[in-house]
Amino acid sequence: PPTAAEVPLSPTVPPPTEAFTPAEEAPSAVRTEYTPTDQNFPNPERGFSSEVDFDDPDYSQYYEDGVTLVYATFRLDDYVESELPPDFLQYVDSWFDLARSGGVKAILRFSYNDGPFPFPDPDADLDTILRHVEQLTPILQKNADAIAWLEAGFIGAWGEWHTSTNGLDDDPEAKRKILLALLEAMPQDRSVLLRYPSDIMTNFPQPLSKAAAFDGSAQARVGFHNDCFLSTGDDENTYGRGKYTQEQEMEYLAQTTLFVPVGGESCAYNPPRSDCPTALAEMERFHFDEIGDGWYPETLDAWQRQGCYVEMEKRLGYRLSLVSAAWNKSAAPGGRLNLSVELENGGFSPIKNPRPVYLVLDGESRREVLLPVDPRFWFPGETSSFDARLRLPADMPEGVYTLALWLPDAYPSLRSDPRYAVRFANQDVWNEENGYNVLGSVTVDSQAAGDIDPSAGELIVLP
């Protein structure tokens, strides 16, 4: 399938096939307000993640439990000194079909051992790792639709970039080569997450800016995973490993993580730091998209007891809700539809992967048009808005049409699956069958006021 980068974020607007003279402006828009909901529900590429059970092929159980991200570590222990064999590569390739069938996406990692710390089993040397990445590249490219993001992996215990038996964790140039190889292996619309802020800042000393966000550069595609979240004062040496202080690294992350994926897990129970007040504050500060639901058990149990687990379920990643929308309730075939939308993001983070926003008119016929809107800039804690002026087709049948916003997956392979569409946190707007967020209705009526273009051939966005 094409990468999401090939899906345009603004539509091509063809000129009218013949000139026309507007008779009058479109009718006045009518404002509708929407009621938010406290309901918890699954949304793609966010929330608590579950470690995948490779022995159970029924992945629909994750989605049914409200989980849309599965954490999948592919072990390479048998290939520390050899190439990856064809049967293993075929297994990895075919595994993604299970994820798609279950309505979930994968957080991937490749590692050569399962620890233990501090004396793990061997990892591979630099040349072997680079060769393995090269072998995996076609599979990662082919199955990018089912991948949320890739954790860098490969180096050291659990692939966490420490205690490498080949000394790779102490070799900045080796780490740089592996990171660049992984970025090259992944499609340009997918990120690679590093374990330590010091490794991010060594490669990119200045924090990522809004102007450079999502531009496809290496820095714009490097995220962060904290696998000892709140487990000690410095999160078990997550911070302060290099020339930067913990506070410098935290300040850097607070800005950069607004634009790149963030995840991880706890690795120890460490009250009061690991308790709800600090957990919620740091998830918000560092824009957490996901965190593991299986580790560390005592920390997770404490979040349940203290009452913040449910809030995390709702706020990890994005949580978009409509505030209001205004549009003219009737339009003639070939007439104009003016739309204004206002929404809020109550999550910890914005959407991180590319995602189209369509306007849909569904009734006597179904028409859709890609809006020139990028939802990755709908930031948490803010109210966002956009306007659109649209021209209806001149041959559009009269009748009442459902007016909806549709945020499906960017990949054509998943676009028609409503499990991969974004749902707004409002009462009475979600159309589960189609994955729409229903704004209301529009009546297409040849007697409606407003200018008409008799040559309009399709639903388009006007400049």
Side-chain angles (χ1 to χ4, degrees):
T3 67
E6 294 171 332
V7 178
L9 290 176
S10 59
T12 300
V13 181
T17 55
E18 60 182 68
F20 70 98
T21 302
E24 55 183 292
E25 290 299 312
S28 298
V30 177
R31 177 184 169 93
T32 299
E33 296 185 348
Y34 301 90
T35 304
T37 179
D38 287 332
Q39 182 182 356
N40 183 39
F41 49 83
N43 250 329
E45 301 176 336
R46 57 152 302 276
F48 277 98
S49 61
S50 292
E51 187 168 358
V52 73
D53 181 355
F54 286 101
D55 295 326
D56 186 349
D58 180 13
Y59 283 18
S60 62
Q61 60 189 304
Y62 298 106
Y63 190 87
E64 291 168 1
D65 289 338
V67 172
T68 64
L69 289 171
V70 294
Y71 188 83
T73 298
F74 286 95
R75 297 282 296 280
L76 310 178
D77 306 40
D78 294 338
Y79 316 116
V80 171
E81 297 180 348
S82 65
E83 291 198 343
L84 303 177
D87 59 343
F88 176 80
L89 295 171
Q90 176 58 41
Y91 166 70
V92 176
D93 185 20
S94 62
W95 176 84
F96 288 101
D97 290 334
L98 298 177
R100 292 185 192 92
S101 67
V104 298
K105 291 200 179 190
I107 301 168
L108 288 186
R109 185 191 293 187
F110 296 90
S111 71
Y112 295 99
N113 58 58
D114 191 29
F117 180 84
F119 302 110
D121 292 334
D123 59 2
D125 62 23
L126 175 61
D127 288 342
T128 301
I129 290 174
L130 293 177
R131 174 55 183 154
H132 288 172
V133 172
E134 181 182 19
Q135 289 184 276
L136 290 164
T137 295
I139 297 170
L140 298 176
Q141 296 275 340
K142 175 185 174 183
N143 294 288
D145 61 331
I147 300 172
W149 41 80
L150 172 71
E151 294 183 352
F154 291 98
I155 295 175
W158 301 288
E160 285 192 21
W161 284 45
H162 61 74
T163 54
S164 166
T165 60
N166 284 279
L168 299 176
D169 55 321
D170 294 323
D171 186 341
E173 182 60 19
K175 290 190 286 187
R176 187 187 71 84
K177 288 181 178 178
I178 292 170
L179 173 60
L180 293 178
L182 291 171
L183 289 169
E184 183 69 21
M186 294 292 287
Q188 197 176 40
D189 59 13
R190 287 297 183 265
S191 297
V192 176
L193 277 57
L194 292 179
R195 174 68 181 87
Y196 296 111
S198 60
D199 289 322
I200 301 174
M201 296 172 72
T202 296
N203 286 283
F204 313 108
Q206 297 301 315
L208 186 62
S209 68
K210 180 179 178 181
F214 312 119
D215 67 359
S217 65
Q219 183 176 7
R221 298 173 54 214
V222 174
F224 170 56
H225 67 101
N226 184 345
D227 284 11
C228 275
F229 182 56
L230 308 179
S231 298
T232 64
D234 60 4
D235 293 6
E236 199 65 60
N237 298 313
T238 292
Y239 298 104
R241 298 173 70 89
K243 65 179 182 179
Y244 303 100
T245 67
Q246 178 168 340
E247 188 51 40
Q248 285 175 322
E249 292 176 347
M250 285 182 158
E251 289 179 1
Y252 179 102
L253 289 174
Q255 176 172 323
T256 294
T257 55
L258 189 59
F259 312 110
V260 294
V262 180
E265 64 184 11
S266 170
C267 72
Y269 181 48
N270 178 42
R273 175 161 166 72
S274 61
D275 287 341
C276 280
T278 306
L280 290 172
E282 294 207 4
M283 285 181 177
E284 184 172 281
R285 185 182 185 189
F286 303 126
H287 308 105
F288 267 69
D289 297 286
E290 64 86 20
I291 198 164
D293 69 359
W295 200 258
Y296 186 72
E298 287 183 81
T299 302
L300 296 165
D301 289 345
W303 292 346
Q304 293 271 18
R305 292 195 312 273
Q306 295 167 19
C308 64
Y309 192 94
V310 172
E311 182 176 350
M312 292 174 183
E313 284 184 307
K314 296 175 185 176
R315 297 187 64 199
L316 281 164
Y318 58 89
R319 185 175 175 87
L320 304 172
S321 58
L322 292 164
V323 176
S324 67
W327 68 95
N328 45 292
K329 301 298 183 179
S330 63
R336 201 169 74 226
L337 179 66
N338 294 331
L339 174 68
S340 296
V341 175
E342 185 180 39
L343 49 83
E344 292 179 339
N345 185 352
F348 295 133
S349 171
I351 291 172
K352 295 293 177 62
N353 286 332
R355 184 166 291 269
V357 180
Y358 288 92
L359 182 77
V360 177
L361 287 168
D362 195 356
E364 295 297 315
S365 62
R366 183 187 182 280
R367 309 296 173 103
E368 65 188 48
V369 64
L370 183 65
L371 298 178
V373 177
D374 190 340
R376 294 175 295 183
F377 291 100
W378 296 345
F379 295 134
E382 295 185 7
T383 299
S384 300
S385 62
F386 64 88
D387 301 322
R389 299 170 63 248
L390 303 112
R391 177 70 63 191
L392 273 56
D395 63 352
M396 193 163 185
E398 293 184 281
V400 178
Y401 288 77
T402 294
L403 179 70
L405 293 177
W406 180 39
L407 284 70
D409 197 87
Y411 281 83
S413 56
L414 301 178
R415 188 164 302 166
S416 62
D417 190 333
R419 295 175 298 180
Y420 291 98
V422 169
R423 175 180 177 178
F424 293 162
N426 293 95
Q427 297 179 19
D428 304 322
V429 303
W430 180 240
N431 180 315
E432 184 174 10
E433 181 181 357
N434 296 309
Y436 299 161
N437 296 283
V438 176
L439 300 178
S441 63
V442 173
T443 300
V444 177
D445 180 359
S446 59
Q447 302 303 310
D451 62 76
I452 295 174
D453 178 3
S455 66
E458 57 183 318
L459 180 64
I460 63 168
V461 178
L462 295 170

